[in-house]
Amino acid sequence: MSKCSCLVSAVAARSFVECGYAVDIVAVRGQGSFRSAVPSGARLFTFEPFLARQNRQIW
């Protein structure tokens, strides 16, 4: 996913949170500018713990 797509997703998530909806965001990695763009009130789930247990690298 491109940086622009991630930020658009974060903006959409913020709008839903402000309207009172529960928001879950699923991402392969939750690092860098994307993590800081996730609004408070939204839950961020990543595949990093799963991939670490499977001894797989995230490209």
Side-chain angles (χ1 to χ4, degrees):
M1 190 180 285
S2 72
K3 184 180 271 190
C4 182
S5 298
C6 291
L7 295 178
V8 168
S9 298
V11 170
R14 183 174 293 110
S15 296
F16 284 117
V17 168
E18 288 173 356
C19 289
Y21 291 98
V23 176
D24 294 335
I25 298 173
V26 179
V28 174
R29 291 181 285 179
Q31 302 171 349
S33 61
F34 177 68
R35 185 183 264 311
S36 62
V38 173
S40 60
R43 297 187 306 174
L44 176 62
F45 296 93
T46 67
F47 288 108
E48 291 166 322
F50 171 75
L51 295 173
R53 284 194 308 271
Q54 301 297 317
N55 291 324
R56 297 181 185 169
Q57 292 187 357
I58 306 171
W59 57 103

